[in-house]
Amino acid sequence: MEHRHKVFPIQVIVPHTSNPNSFRLNESGLHSVLGHSAIANKKVVIVSVAGATRKGKSFLLNFFLEYLYALQNSQQNDIQLEWLDEAVQLQGFHWRSGAKRDTVGIWLWGEPIMIEAANGEKYAIVLMDCQGITLENAQSSNQCSSIFALSTLLSCIQCYNIVDVIQEDSLQNLSLFVEYGRLFLNEAQQFGKPFQNLVFMVRDHKSPEEFPFGAEGGEAYFEQVLENCPDSLEELKVVKDNLRECFEQIFCYLLPHPGQKVADRNSFKGYVKDIRPMFREEVKKMISSLLNPHAIKPKIVNGKEVTCKKMIEYIRECARLFYKNDNPAPRSILNAHAQLLCIESAIEAKTAYCRGMDRATSAPRMLSEKKLLEAHIKHGITALNIYDKCPKIGSGEVRTENLARLQEDINAELEKYKRFNEAKRVNSCASAMLACGDSVLF
Ligand code: GDP
């Protein structure tokens, strides 16, 4: 447990100083969280909390940390885990060493927490805090929806933190990725749904007699929100009609007020005993139902479960999309996914080519130029066939560009094999001459 006190959140998506509406990826920060060789092949579960600023996201994430570390330390698949002792002081996401709390961006907990899922496999759970989203301010609405959309793409559990009631603008914020989701469902249906879990976390819920706290009350409440949602605004109608198709699961939890001590910023020091017991109980139920070893599922991209190593590539590709000022068009998001598929297939294709050529040129004797070219054509065709099996999503342009790059790569490899083959001629001559010389000497 002590070890965790040395861990901090790390900002991985950082706004540019000159233009706060555009973001850059903090590569070294990302590597420090996901780049260790020991976890490279472990599947990753990204849990994000997003929503307006100063609405208790970090506070709640500290409960997530408590639960996950307790689960990690318990070394067993125990759903009845005892956690959140009264004496505990919540900490973790409040420590933003050096950086201002208002900084817009995405923060990751400094290390993945390794949890054994019910199937016996160890997953790397990474908590993500999306900060600085000010929904009230029209100027920053771009920023807000970019961070929100980016964190939804990256996570497999997106927790949408909302205070009091789910209003129309909260749903409107979902429109970018619902638009993308529709495109994905049309053009990449072989991969299933585009997103995994969306969790509405409604804080300070005020009418428990109508909708009780917790998941069941939340479900009924969410149904009602969708029902009452007006069809007059096209954007909202699209969200309403398509949200359920885009996510594998949607949950809604209604949480009580945490008590005056928590709401009073100055006096609250994070002690669990100072938090209203009813809030503690509801949060405990919510977190253990979302993150228990039976519930956690790895992040899926293009239909495949993602490892920590692959997640780095995925985050890089998604961050590139949001690098520019505006929100990316849904088609660009789809193309980014196509790009990942193409890169993966091109690597596989090139590896197959090189393996074949290595075998063909493995003899110590030089190959004739004709034989070398025959091998090149044979293994080149194998490589192109492998590339051609790449699932076809997004625009053909992405596939064509990557095919051209693959062909260039293969031609560059061929040049290497030619040089390697030529070197054998020189070696053969040298040894022949040596042999000749030797015979003269004797
Ligand atoms: P963030 O900016 O969304 O991460 O918000 P913080 O977690 O920093 O919390 C902002 C303030 O709200 C802090 O003073 C918290 O103690 C307080 N707070 C946390 N959770 C709740 C809640 O559920 N209801 C209310 N009313 N206040 C909360």
Side-chain angles (χ1 to χ4, degrees):
M1 264 304 224
E2 280 315 301
H3 164 64
R4 111 181 217 198
H5 297 304
K6 297 189 197 102
V7 185
F8 301 92
I10 290 176
Q11 191 174 24
V12 290
I13 298 292
V14 188
H16 274 294
T17 36
S18 53
N19 176 7
N21 276 339
S22 92
F23 305 101
R24 68 172 178 83
L25 177 67
N26 170 6
E27 274 276 350
S28 61
L30 179 62
H31 268 270
S32 71
V33 180
L34 287 172
H36 296 283
S37 54
I39 57 160
N41 295 320
K42 295 274 181 255
K43 308 230 176 88
V44 69
V45 180
I46 309 263
V47 183
S48 155
V49 180
T53 201
R54 301 249 184 278
K55 302 296 183 202
K57 292 187 298 298
S58 310
F59 174 68
L60 203 67
L61 272 160
N62 292 331
F63 284 86
F64 283 58
L65 280 179
E66 280 304 318
Y67 176 74
L68 291 172
Y69 276 109
L71 199 57
Q72 185 185 47
N73 295 337
S74 78
Q75 309 272 327
Q76 52 186 344
N77 289 350
D78 187 359
I79 311 178
Q80 303 304 323
L81 183 78
E82 284 299 320
W83 65 287
L84 208 63
D85 194 273
E86 291 234 331
V88 164
Q89 186 179 18
L90 294 169
Q91 46 197 333
F93 276 92
H94 286 280
W95 299 339
R96 294 266 154 71
S97 52
K100 271 196 264 159
R101 290 293 316 271
D102 277 344
T103 309
V104 176
I106 294 182
W107 303 70
L108 296 183
W109 182 241
E111 66 179 11
I113 304 170
M114 304 307 294
I115 299 293
E116 191 175 314
N119 63 4
E121 204 176 331
K122 271 217 164 135
Y123 295 150
I125 320 275
V126 178
L127 294 183
M128 182 186 267
D129 187 7
C130 305
Q131 274 298 325
I133 300 176
T134 47
L135 295 168
E136 302 81 19
N137 179 350
Q139 247 186 345
S140 59
S141 74
N142 241 13
Q143 258 188 1
C144 151
S145 49
S146 317
I147 287 291
F148 196 45
L150 179 53
S151 62
T152 306
L153 281 175
L154 299 183
S155 57
C156 56
I157 303 181
Q158 172 67 300
C159 302
Y160 191 179
N161 193 57
I162 288 172
V163 175
D164 197 7
V165 285
I166 303 178
Q167 283 175 332
E168 285 165 22
D169 58 353
S170 316
L171 290 179
Q172 232 160 321
N173 275 317
L174 309 174
S175 67
L176 172 67
F177 50 86
V178 168
E179 284 288 354
Y180 159 68
R182 287 207 304 173
L183 187 68
F184 188 93
L185 288 169
N186 278 334
E187 298 191 19
Q189 62 278 59
Q190 70 265 43
F191 297 134
K193 297 200 174 190
F195 300 111
Q196 290 162 276
N197 299 296
L198 177 64
V199 184
F200 288 89
M201 300 190 312
V202 181
R203 316 289 286 266
D204 298 358
H205 171 59
K206 290 195 180 61
S207 48
E209 49 308 315
E210 195 183 353
F211 298 107
F213 294 123
E216 276 175 34
E219 202 182 319
Y221 170 68
F222 187 62
E223 278 299 323
Q224 199 209 48
V225 169
L226 285 188
E227 243 167 60
N228 293 347
C229 193
D231 284 346
S232 48
L233 253 174
E234 185 51 29
E235 228 181 16
L236 213 54
K237 185 168 163 27
V238 169
V239 171
K240 181 178 151 179
D241 293 347
N242 295 282
L243 197 57
R244 288 196 197 282
E245 311 310 316
C246 293
F247 285 87
E248 272 166 26
Q249 299 188 85
I250 298 181
F251 304 97
C252 178
Y253 289 89
L254 303 175
L255 296 172
H257 192 284
Q260 234 12 76
K261 277 202 176 140
V262 177
D264 177 3
R265 198 170 296 253
N266 297 327
S267 66
F268 182 59
K269 297 280 178 285
Y271 285 104
V272 169
K273 64 177 167 38
D274 292 335
I275 303 169
R276 197 174 161 205
M278 190 195 272
F279 180 87
R280 285 182 339 221
E281 280 318 302
E282 288 303 332
V283 166
K284 274 179 84 168
K285 276 194 269 174
M286 176 180 84
I287 294 177
S288 48
S289 82
L290 285 175
L291 298 183
N292 76 68
H294 290 267
I296 47 172
K297 300 265 170 359
K299 168 76 184 160
I300 292 179
V301 175
N302 291 332
K304 276 195 198 149
E305 294 181 340
V306 179
T307 59
C308 290
K309 190 170 158 211
K310 290 266 172 211
M311 194 66 204
I312 293 182
E313 287 166 30
Y314 183 62
I315 295 179
R316 203 179 280 142
E317 204 60 48
C318 289
R320 200 172 293 145
L321 274 174
F322 288 81
Y323 182 74
K324 299 208 183 88
N325 196 340
D326 287 321
N327 272 329
R331 180 146 302 276
S332 318
I333 304 179
L334 191 68
N335 282 344
H337 286 77
Q339 173 74 4
L340 284 167
L341 286 168
C342 289
I343 290 175
E344 205 168 301
S345 296
I347 291 174
E348 205 189 318
K350 187 177 151 183
T351 309
Y353 171 82
C354 291
R355 210 180 299 126
M357 290 298 279
D358 283 346
R359 266 199 317 272
T361 56
S362 62
R365 284 179 54 126
M366 184 191 173
L367 278 187
S368 70
E369 199 169 326
K370 182 168 173 271
K371 280 250 155 37
L372 189 72
L373 280 179
E374 275 170 11
H376 163 70
I377 289 168
K378 179 178 168 202
H379 300 297
I381 289 173
T382 308
L384 294 185
N385 283 339
I386 290 174
Y387 182 77
D388 198 48
K389 288 208 185 81
C390 169
K392 293 176 179 53
I393 66 165
S395 69
E397 222 171 88
V398 176
R399 272 196 307 283
T400 320
E401 275 168 20
N402 280 284
L403 175 62
R405 209 167 299 137
L406 172 65
Q407 280 166 327
E408 271 172 33
D409 278 1
I410 285 183
N411 285 339
E413 288 298 324
L414 174 63
E415 290 309 312
K416 274 195 230 157
Y417 285 107
K418 278 184 181 166
R419 282 199 299 276
F420 179 60
N421 198 38
E422 232 4 84
K424 284 183 191 165
R425 182 205 304 271
V426 177
N427 286 345
S428 316
C429 284
S431 42
M433 276 170 67
L434 260 179
C436 237
D438 284 352
S439 63
V440 169
L441 277 177
F442 282 95

